[in-house]
Amino acid sequence: MEIFKTAAAIQGFALEQKRGGKRIGLVPTMGYLHEGHLSLVRRARELADVVIVSIFVNPTQFGPTEDLAKYPRDFERDCRLCAEHGVTAVFAPTPEAMYYPDHSVWVVEEQLSQGLCGARRPGHFRGVATVVAKLFNLTQPDVAVFGQKDAQQALVIRRMVRDLNFPIRIEVAPLVRDGDGLALSSRNRYLSEEERKRALVLSRSLWAAQAALRERKLEALDGVLAAIRYEIEQAGGRVDYVEGLDSETLQPPTAGTRKLLLLLAAYFGNTRLIDNQVVEL
Ligand code: PAF
């Protein structure tokens, strides 16, 4: 497995692979890899000849009061896991290698990124879309694999690819949970044992909501969302948002909505967790 640290080196590698007729699969990550990331790598290996994993804690998607400095990092372990899982190349630039000191061009999505995490984390999706566009240009993927865990992010990226005509297939792989139901996230490591137990209310309440909505359909939605909020608070969490939206538009569901997306964000201690569940109506 090769490790590249500069934009020029990874782009040269990617262009050479393309000239050799290889299909490139990209898995963009911020490192501290877990089983969720590895499921994306496995999917990329099914879809491409060459798999590039980017490991970059992207400063432009963190707000000034967020956890950029303490975001978990373990580059050696990440590289070992990538090598064990058949990754062809890791791209791990420094912020200086990714951004010119006077960089001034951004990619801004203006619909899907407005609510939910976009409303709570101003500038977050501008940073995500910009870095992902740069990663696409640097790694020249035929396919890029994202996780359903970050459902809003996946929709924003799909829209960017559509609207800016990137010739890239966006594959969204299922959310991966631990045995106890907690959605896998690099941020889970911040949770104390007690907070982690309390946080299981997230998946539990989403599953209960899914069952209720399947039975009673959209008319039950307001009650279901209120029940999720109540259960999170009862478990000692602090609700950031709980919403039920059309899974394609992220707008309130209408009679035409076929899939509803239940999305939530909540704090346990200082740790902000997100989770979601698709409900077929
Ligand atoms: O999902 C993530 O880890 C990040 O938002 C991404 C897509 C790697 C961009 O920095």
Side-chain angles (χ1 to χ4, degrees):
M1 188 182 78
E2 297 193 62
I3 299 176
F4 297 97
K5 301 247 172 173
T6 68
I10 189 69
Q11 203 173 44
F13 170 80
L15 289 170
E16 195 184 301
Q17 298 299 317
K18 297 295 261 193
R19 278 195 294 273
K22 300 278 196 253
R23 274 179 67 78
I24 298 180
L26 171 68
V27 180
T29 82
M30 297 208 299
Y32 212 72
L33 303 182
H34 51 63
E35 188 47 39
H37 298 112
L38 298 174
S39 73
L40 308 184
V41 168
R42 279 191 281 274
R43 187 69 187 122
R45 286 190 66 193
E46 286 168 4
L47 299 170
D49 309 306
V50 165
V51 173
I52 302 178
V53 171
S54 62
I55 297 178
F56 179 56
V57 183
N58 172 36
T60 67
Q61 68 189 71
F62 287 78
T65 60
E66 293 182 354
D67 57 345
L68 171 63
K70 73 175 179 95
Y71 194 85
R73 291 162 168 90
D74 190 342
F75 184 60
E76 270 178 33
R77 181 174 164 276
D78 287 348
C79 285
R80 197 176 63 242
L81 285 171
C82 284
E84 283 168 11
H85 286 78
V87 169
T88 323
V90 163
F91 175 47
T94 59
E96 294 72 31
M98 273 304 264
Y99 293 105
Y100 287 95
D102 60 346
H103 78 100
S104 56
V105 175
W106 298 95
V107 178
V108 181
E109 194 287 329
E110 293 190 330
Q111 278 176 16
L112 299 162
S113 63
Q114 295 303 294
L116 306 163
C117 288
R120 270 74 182 181
R121 305 182 64 189
H124 172 67
F125 286 115
R126 179 181 84 151
V128 170
T130 302
V131 82
V132 171
K134 286 166 70 67
L135 289 169
F136 286 173
N137 283 329
L138 292 173
T139 64
Q140 301 282 310
D142 297 277
V143 57
V145 189
F146 293 84
Q148 172 65 13
K149 162 83 183 345
D150 295 297
Q152 187 179 14
Q153 167 172 283
L155 287 164
V156 169
I157 300 299
R158 262 195 209 289
R159 180 63 62 88
M160 174 184 86
V161 162
R162 187 197 76 176
D163 286 1
L164 298 185
N165 306 94
F166 282 98
I168 300 172
R169 164 174 166 187
I170 299 301
E171 180 77 6
V172 181
L175 188 155
V176 181
R177 298 184 182 281
D178 242 330
D180 59 8
L182 190 67
L184 292 186
S185 162
S186 305
R187 290 188 168 102
N188 290 351
R189 81 180 292 267
Y190 300 148
L191 297 169
S192 68
E193 211 177 306
E194 177 61 24
E195 287 164 349
R196 192 191 155 97
K197 271 196 210 131
R198 290 170 180 269
L200 298 184
V201 69
L202 302 182
S203 51
R204 245 191 352 254
S205 63
L206 283 173
W207 291 332
Q210 182 186 37
L213 286 163
R214 276 197 185 140
E215 204 180 297
R216 295 170 29 230
K217 306 292 173 201
L218 278 182
E219 68 194 41
L221 184 58
D222 287 347
V224 156
L225 298 178
I228 298 176
R229 286 187 199 107
Y230 176 77
E231 283 166 33
I232 294 173
E233 275 156 20
Q234 284 299 103
R238 184 159 55 85
V239 173
D240 194 6
Y241 63 75
V242 175
E243 294 197 35
L245 301 172
D246 184 289
S247 68
E248 281 170 24
T249 62
L250 292 185
Q251 292 298 308
T254 63
T257 296
R258 285 176 300 119
K259 284 187 191 168
L260 184 78
L261 188 55
L262 295 170
L263 306 109
L264 59 78
Y267 288 88
F268 287 83
N270 292 324
T271 308
R272 182 176 181 275
L273 301 176
I274 58 171
D275 201 341
N276 68 79
Q277 180 68 50
V278 177
V279 184
E280 310 244 2
L281 294 171

